[in-house]
Amino acid sequence: MKKTNIFIILTLLFSSCGIFKKSVQPEDKYDNSFIEKIKVQTALDSIQKHYPKIETFYCGFTGNYEKKDQKLPLKGLIKIKTDEFIWISVRPVMGIEISRILITQDSIKVIDKIKNEYFAENINYLKSKVGFELNYETIQAIFLNRFFIFPPENKIESYFLINVENNKTLSATGIFSGMNISHNTIFSENNFIIYENNLKLFNKNQSLNIAYSNFQPLNKKEFPNTIQIIIKDAVNLSMFNISYKNIKINETIKASFKIPENFKRVKFE
């Protein structure tokens, strides 16, 4: 990003000094695509400046999971060490742990203490189950209210900026990895807070919507205490509502995750 900013400054400086004179009209100096790239990069820089500095993240959470006529309570603990691991302990009743989850750059593991079973797969397994290409960075960004590029192999150059009233949207639409995809990140024009991330796979009629609310100060920056995640396809709709409690950042944390020897390895269908 610094390189981009330096390039822009040098270009404007040399142009104003007449070092790179061209026989064109002033309005032809920059084509629309170049101007759009500057707008997108400027918006992204402003969003990232708003992030609270988080090296580690620890909190309790409450909420619920809904699918069709099923509604289950959610409660537990979340630990995140930036770019290393996401650790989740599910404790719905009286603080008794029934499940533990560990997500790293290359794997996802789950311990089920009720059934004495465990699950362990490559992080790419999520794509086959959810339908979306969610790598570690994307999942971490969802938890920490950060901008992410989708799909992961896409580039920021594919995004353009849309203005809608008091909000702006960084949007990318097109064919990526053989799929017709759109990704829209909606943020405030005033304080550059991300309010929504909307993903769509048109080929499969699937969507993933993430909405943030209940913003509170965290390390002098605004941070959401509530996340709603909705996953839809042509048949099903699943919804997660999560509220963070007693957030602590930049303290020493550990991700204890030991699979008991008598637990049976299973696959989630």
Side-chain angles (χ1 to χ4, degrees), residues 164-194:
V164 181
E165 296 181 352
N166 294 326
N167 292 328
K168 292 187 176 183
T169 301
L170 282 172
S171 179
T173 303
I175 306 297
F176 304 100
S177 301
M179 297 295 296
N180 189 2
I181 294 171
S182 77
H183 175 211
N184 294 296
T185 300
I186 302 170
F187 62 97
S188 168
E189 183 177 22
N190 298 322
N191 54 21
F192 298 95
I193 293 173
I194 295 175

mmCIF file of all heavy atoms in Angstrom, residues 164-194:
data_model
loop_
_atom_site.group_PDB
_atom_site.id
_atom_site.type_symbol
_atom_site.label_atom_id
_atom_site.label_comp_id
_atom_site.label_asym_id
_atom_site.label_seq_id
_atom_site.Cartn_x
_atom_site.Cartn_y
_atom_site.Cartn_z
ATOM 1 N N VAL A 164 -23.444 4.863 -2.176
ATOM 2 C CA VAL A 164 -24.883 4.765 -1.939
ATOM 3 C C VAL A 164 -25.210 5.539 -0.670
ATOM 4 O O VAL A 164 -24.921 5.075 0.446
ATOM 5 C CB VAL A 164 -25.337 3.291 -1.796
ATOM 6 C CG1 VAL A 164 -26.839 3.233 -1.575
ATOM 7 C CG2 VAL A 164 -24.939 2.477 -3.015
ATOM 8 N N GLU A 165 -25.796 6.727 -0.812
ATOM 9 C CA GLU A 165 -26.150 7.594 0.309
ATOM 10 C C GLU A 165 -24.952 7.780 1.235
ATOM 11 O O GLU A 165 -23.906 8.228 0.815
ATOM 12 C CB GLU A 165 -27.368 7.021 1.042
ATOM 13 C CG GLU A 165 -28.618 6.983 0.179
ATOM 14 C CD GLU A 165 -29.829 6.431 0.904
ATOM 15 O OE1 GLU A 165 -29.685 5.925 2.030
ATOM 16 O OE2 GLU A 165 -30.926 6.508 0.324
ATOM 17 N N ASN A 166 -25.083 7.394 2.524
ATOM 18 C CA ASN A 166 -23.994 7.603 3.482
ATOM 19 C C ASN A 166 -23.033 6.418 3.567
ATOM 20 O O ASN A 166 -22.126 6.418 4.386
ATOM 21 C CB ASN A 166 -24.556 7.899 4.873
ATOM 22 C CG ASN A 166 -25.297 9.216 4.929
ATOM 23 O OD1 ASN A 166 -24.930 10.166 4.243
ATOM 24 N ND2 ASN A 166 -26.347 9.275 5.734
ATOM 25 N N ASN A 167 -23.263 5.405 2.747
ATOM 26 C CA ASN A 167 -22.405 4.224 2.741
ATOM 27 C C ASN A 167 -21.675 4.086 1.421
ATOM 28 O O ASN A 167 -22.081 4.651 0.401
ATOM 29 C CB ASN A 167 -23.219 2.954 3.012
ATOM 30 C CG ASN A 167 -23.754 2.903 4.423
ATOM 31 O OD1 ASN A 167 -23.137 3.415 5.350
ATOM 32 N ND2 ASN A 167 -24.906 2.294 4.593
ATOM 33 N N LYS A 168 -20.596 3.318 1.448
ATOM 34 C CA LYS A 168 -19.866 2.983 0.233
ATOM 35 C C LYS A 168 -19.701 1.469 0.165
ATOM 36 O O LYS A 168 -19.757 0.782 1.195
ATOM 37 C CB LYS A 168 -18.495 3.666 0.206
ATOM 38 C CG LYS A 168 -18.560 5.178 0.065
ATOM 39 C CD LYS A 168 -17.176 5.781 -0.139
ATOM 40 C CE LYS A 168 -17.271 7.272 -0.377
ATOM 41 N NZ LYS A 168 -15.944 7.874 -0.659
ATOM 42 N N THR A 169 -19.474 0.969 -1.025
ATOM 43 C CA THR A 169 -19.317 -0.471 -1.218
ATOM 44 C C THR A 169 -18.104 -0.756 -2.084
ATOM 45 O O THR A 169 -17.950 -0.172 -3.162
ATOM 46 C CB THR A 169 -20.565 -1.086 -1.896
ATOM 47 O OG1 THR A 169 -21.717 -0.830 -1.096
ATOM 48 C CG2 THR A 169 -20.393 -2.586 -2.077
ATOM 49 N N LEU A 170 -17.236 -1.639 -1.588
ATOM 50 C CA LEU A 170 -16.173 -2.194 -2.421
ATOM 51 C C LEU A 170 -16.735 -3.465 -3.040
ATOM 52 O O LEU A 170 -17.123 -4.390 -2.319
ATOM 53 C CB LEU A 170 -14.926 -2.503 -1.583
ATOM 54 C CG LEU A 170 -14.055 -1.293 -1.217
ATOM 55 C CD1 LEU A 170 -12.977 -1.698 -0.220
ATOM 56 C CD2 LEU A 170 -13.418 -0.692 -2.470
ATOM 57 N N SER A 171 -16.806 -3.501 -4.354
ATOM 58 C CA SER A 171 -17.524 -4.573 -5.035
ATOM 59 C C SER A 171 -16.668 -5.236 -6.109
ATOM 60 O O SER A 171 -15.922 -4.568 -6.822
ATOM 61 C CB SER A 171 -18.801 -4.009 -5.680
ATOM 62 O OG SER A 171 -19.524 -5.001 -6.363
ATOM 63 N N ALA A 172 -16.777 -6.567 -6.167
ATOM 64 C CA ALA A 172 -16.119 -7.343 -7.228
ATOM 65 C C ALA A 172 -17.113 -8.367 -7.752
ATOM 66 O O ALA A 172 -17.738 -9.090 -6.983
ATOM 67 C CB ALA A 172 -14.873 -8.036 -6.704
ATOM 68 N N THR A 173 -17.282 -8.393 -9.059
ATOM 69 C CA THR A 173 -18.201 -9.337 -9.692
ATOM 70 C C THR A 173 -17.548 -9.907 -10.933
ATOM 71 O O THR A 173 -16.943 -9.172 -11.711
ATOM 72 C CB THR A 173 -19.520 -8.647 -10.091
ATOM 73 O OG1 THR A 173 -20.116 -8.058 -8.927
ATOM 74 C CG2 THR A 173 -20.506 -9.644 -10.691
ATOM 75 N N GLY A 174 -17.652 -11.227 -11.108
ATOM 76 C CA GLY A 174 -17.081 -11.833 -12.304
ATOM 77 C C GLY A 174 -16.878 -13.323 -12.155
ATOM 78 O O GLY A 174 -17.368 -13.945 -11.208
ATOM 79 N N ILE A 175 -16.153 -13.899 -13.093
ATOM 80 C CA ILE A 175 -15.865 -15.330 -13.099
ATOM 81 C C ILE A 175 -14.508 -15.565 -12.450
ATOM 82 O O ILE A 175 -13.487 -15.097 -12.937
ATOM 83 C CB ILE A 175 -15.859 -15.899 -14.531
ATOM 84 C CG1 ILE A 175 -17.166 -15.551 -15.259
ATOM 85 C CG2 ILE A 175 -15.643 -17.408 -14.500
ATOM 86 C CD1 ILE A 175 -18.407 -16.151 -14.617
ATOM 87 N N PHE A 176 -14.521 -16.278 -11.319
ATOM 88 C CA PHE A 176 -13.293 -16.611 -10.613
ATOM 89 C C PHE A 176 -13.322 -18.103 -10.303
ATOM 90 O O PHE A 176 -14.314 -18.614 -9.781
ATOM 91 C CB PHE A 176 -13.174 -15.817 -9.313
ATOM 92 C CG PHE A 176 -13.254 -14.331 -9.494
ATOM 93 C CD1 PHE A 176 -14.433 -13.646 -9.235
ATOM 94 C CD2 PHE A 176 -12.160 -13.611 -9.937
ATOM 95 C CE1 PHE A 176 -14.520 -12.282 -9.406
ATOM 96 C CE2 PHE A 176 -12.236 -12.241 -10.109
ATOM 97 C CZ PHE A 176 -13.418 -11.575 -9.845
ATOM 98 N N SER A 177 -12.244 -18.789 -10.627
ATOM 99 C CA SER A 177 -12.153 -20.236 -10.391
ATOM 100 C C SER A 177 -13.343 -20.971 -11.013
ATOM 101 O O SER A 177 -13.855 -21.944 -10.464
ATOM 102 C CB SER A 177 -12.099 -20.533 -8.884
ATOM 103 O OG SER A 177 -10.999 -19.904 -8.293
ATOM 104 N N GLY A 178 -13.775 -20.490 -12.167
ATOM 105 C CA GLY A 178 -14.873 -21.150 -12.880
ATOM 106 C C GLY A 178 -16.248 -20.870 -12.319
ATOM 107 O O GLY A 178 -17.237 -21.449 -12.772
ATOM 108 N N MET A 179 -16.354 -19.974 -11.309
ATOM 109 C CA MET A 179 -17.632 -19.668 -10.681
ATOM 110 C C MET A 179 -17.996 -18.206 -10.911
ATOM 111 O O MET A 179 -17.134 -17.325 -10.894
ATOM 112 C CB MET A 179 -17.566 -19.948 -9.180
ATOM 113 C CG MET A 179 -17.324 -21.402 -8.816
ATOM 114 S SD MET A 179 -18.679 -22.472 -9.320
ATOM 115 C CE MET A 179 -20.000 -21.823 -8.299
ATOM 116 N N ASN A 180 -19.286 -17.971 -11.128
ATOM 117 C CA ASN A 180 -19.803 -16.613 -11.261
ATOM 118 C C ASN A 180 -20.076 -16.070 -9.856
ATOM 119 O O ASN A 180 -20.999 -16.508 -9.184
ATOM 120 C CB ASN A 180 -21.087 -16.623 -12.092
ATOM 121 C CG ASN A 180 -21.546 -15.214 -12.443
ATOM 122 O OD1 ASN A 180 -20.900 -14.227 -12.096
ATOM 123 N ND2 ASN A 180 -22.668 -15.124 -13.126
ATOM 124 N N ILE A 181 -19.253 -15.130 -9.410
ATOM 125 C CA ILE A 181 -19.222 -14.722 -8.007
ATOM 126 C C ILE A 181 -19.359 -13.209 -7.864
ATOM 127 O O ILE A 181 -18.914 -12.445 -8.726
ATOM 128 C CB ILE A 181 -17.876 -15.166 -7.369
ATOM 129 C CG1 ILE A 181 -17.786 -16.684 -7.307
ATOM 130 C CG2 ILE A 181 -17.708 -14.590 -5.969
ATOM 131 C CD1 ILE A 181 -16.422 -17.196 -6.912
ATOM 132 N N SER A 182 -19.974 -12.778 -6.765
ATOM 133 C CA SER A 182 -19.937 -11.363 -6.407
ATOM 134 C C SER A 182 -19.592 -11.226 -4.927
ATOM 135 O O SER A 182 -19.958 -12.069 -4.110
ATOM 136 C CB SER A 182 -21.272 -10.673 -6.694
ATOM 137 O OG SER A 182 -22.227 -10.981 -5.710
ATOM 138 N N HIS A 183 -18.871 -10.163 -4.599
ATOM 139 C CA HIS A 183 -18.504 -9.863 -3.214
ATOM 140 C C HIS A 183 -18.681 -8.365 -2.994
ATOM 141 O O HIS A 183 -18.104 -7.557 -3.716
ATOM 142 C CB HIS A 183 -17.056 -10.256 -2.931
ATOM 143 C CG HIS A 183 -16.596 -9.862 -1.561
ATOM 144 N ND1 HIS A 183 -15.288 -9.536 -1.273
ATOM 145 C CD2 HIS A 183 -17.273 -9.732 -0.381
ATOM 146 C CE1 HIS A 183 -15.179 -9.239 0.008
ATOM 147 N NE2 HIS A 183 -16.369 -9.343 0.563
ATOM 148 N N ASN A 184 -19.506 -8.012 -2.014
ATOM 149 C CA ASN A 184 -19.751 -6.610 -1.688
ATOM 150 C C ASN A 184 -19.449 -6.351 -0.216
ATOM 151 O O ASN A 184 -20.035 -6.997 0.660
ATOM 152 C CB ASN A 184 -21.204 -6.233 -1.981
ATOM 153 C CG ASN A 184 -21.517 -6.291 -3.463
ATOM 154 O OD1 ASN A 184 -20.956 -5.542 -4.249
ATOM 155 N ND2 ASN A 184 -22.401 -7.188 -3.851
ATOM 156 N N THR A 185 -18.534 -5.435 0.039
ATOM 157 C CA THR A 185 -18.226 -5.007 1.399
ATOM 158 C C THR A 185 -18.781 -3.604 1.592
ATOM 159 O O THR A 185 -18.342 -2.658 0.934
ATOM 160 C CB THR A 185 -16.712 -5.001 1.654
ATOM 161 O OG1 THR A 185 -16.190 -6.311 1.468
ATOM 162 C CG2 THR A 185 -16.401 -4.543 3.075
ATOM 163 N N ILE A 186 -19.759 -3.473 2.486
ATOM 164 C CA ILE A 186 -20.426 -2.196 2.720
ATOM 165 C C ILE A 186 -19.833 -1.539 3.960
ATOM 166 O O ILE A 186 -19.746 -2.160 5.018
ATOM 167 C CB ILE A 186 -21.945 -2.402 2.901
ATOM 168 C CG1 ILE A 186 -22.526 -3.090 1.658
ATOM 169 C CG2 ILE A 186 -22.652 -1.072 3.154
ATOM 170 C CD1 ILE A 186 -23.952 -3.561 1.830
ATOM 171 N N PHE A 187 -19.431 -0.271 3.826
ATOM 172 C CA PHE A 187 -18.826 0.431 4.952
ATOM 173 C C PHE A 187 -19.306 1.877 4.998
ATOM 174 O O PHE A 187 -19.807 2.419 4.018
ATOM 175 C CB PHE A 187 -17.295 0.365 4.870
ATOM 176 C CG PHE A 187 -16.705 1.021 3.647
ATOM 177 C CD1 PHE A 187 -16.224 2.321 3.703
ATOM 178 C CD2 PHE A 187 -16.619 0.333 2.440
ATOM 179 C CE1 PHE A 187 -15.679 2.920 2.579
ATOM 180 C CE2 PHE A 187 -16.072 0.926 1.309
ATOM 181 C CZ PHE A 187 -15.604 2.231 1.388
ATOM 182 N N SER A 188 -19.153 2.491 6.165
ATOM 183 C CA SER A 188 -19.613 3.856 6.364
ATOM 184 C C SER A 188 -18.697 4.856 5.668
ATOM 185 O O SER A 188 -17.468 4.747 5.746
ATOM 186 C CB SER A 188 -19.678 4.175 7.864
ATOM 187 O OG SER A 188 -19.846 5.558 8.078
ATOM 188 N N GLU A 189 -19.302 5.835 5.018
ATOM 189 C CA GLU A 189 -18.524 6.879 4.351
ATOM 190 C C GLU A 189 -17.871 7.808 5.375
ATOM 191 O O GLU A 189 -16.837 8.413 5.104
ATOM 192 C CB GLU A 189 -19.435 7.682 3.428
ATOM 193 C CG GLU A 189 -18.726 8.753 2.619
ATOM 194 C CD GLU A 189 -19.657 9.468 1.665
ATOM 195 O OE1 GLU A 189 -20.888 9.445 1.894
ATOM 196 O OE2 GLU A 189 -19.166 10.047 0.687
ATOM 197 N N ASN A 190 -18.461 7.888 6.567
ATOM 198 C CA ASN A 190 -17.967 8.831 7.571
ATOM 199 C C ASN A 190 -16.806 8.291 8.396
ATOM 200 O O ASN A 190 -15.821 8.993 8.631
ATOM 201 C CB ASN A 190 -19.117 9.237 8.509
ATOM 202 C CG ASN A 190 -20.237 9.944 7.765
ATOM 203 O OD1 ASN A 190 -19.980 10.733 6.857
ATOM 204 N ND2 ASN A 190 -21.474 9.658 8.138
ATOM 205 N N ASN A 191 -16.927 7.035 8.867
ATOM 206 C CA ASN A 191 -15.878 6.506 9.741
ATOM 207 C C ASN A 191 -15.248 5.214 9.232
ATOM 208 O O ASN A 191 -14.431 4.612 9.914
ATOM 209 C CB ASN A 191 -16.421 6.283 11.156
ATOM 210 C CG ASN A 191 -17.672 5.420 11.153
ATOM 211 O OD1 ASN A 191 -17.932 4.687 10.202
ATOM 212 N ND2 ASN A 191 -18.451 5.515 12.218
ATOM 213 N N PHE A 192 -15.629 4.762 8.037
ATOM 214 C CA PHE A 192 -15.031 3.602 7.368
ATOM 215 C C PHE A 192 -15.180 2.306 8.160
ATOM 216 O O PHE A 192 -14.357 1.402 8.071
ATOM 217 C CB PHE A 192 -13.553 3.874 7.048
ATOM 218 C CG PHE A 192 -13.365 5.022 6.105
ATOM 219 C CD1 PHE A 192 -13.119 6.306 6.584
ATOM 220 C CD2 PHE A 192 -13.481 4.833 4.738
ATOM 221 C CE1 PHE A 192 -12.977 7.376 5.711
ATOM 222 C CE2 PHE A 192 -13.342 5.903 3.853
ATOM 223 C CZ PHE A 192 -13.080 7.175 4.345
ATOM 224 N N ILE A 193 -16.263 2.192 8.941
ATOM 225 C CA ILE A 193 -16.582 0.959 9.644
ATOM 226 C C ILE A 193 -17.286 -0.001 8.693
ATOM 227 O O ILE A 193 -18.212 0.390 7.979
ATOM 228 C CB ILE A 193 -17.498 1.238 10.851
ATOM 229 C CG1 ILE A 193 -16.760 2.038 11.925
ATOM 230 C CG2 ILE A 193 -18.028 -0.056 11.453
ATOM 231 C CD1 ILE A 193 -17.645 2.498 13.064
ATOM 232 N N ILE A 194 -16.866 -1.256 8.664
ATOM 233 C CA ILE A 194 -17.520 -2.264 7.831
ATOM 234 C C ILE A 194 -18.793 -2.750 8.526
ATOM 235 O O ILE A 194 -18.749 -3.202 9.668
ATOM 236 C CB ILE A 194 -16.578 -3.460 7.564
ATOM 237 C CG1 ILE A 194 -15.379 -3.009 6.734
ATOM 238 C CG2 ILE A 194 -17.324 -4.595 6.858
ATOM 239 C CD1 ILE A 194 -14.339 -4.104 6.525
#
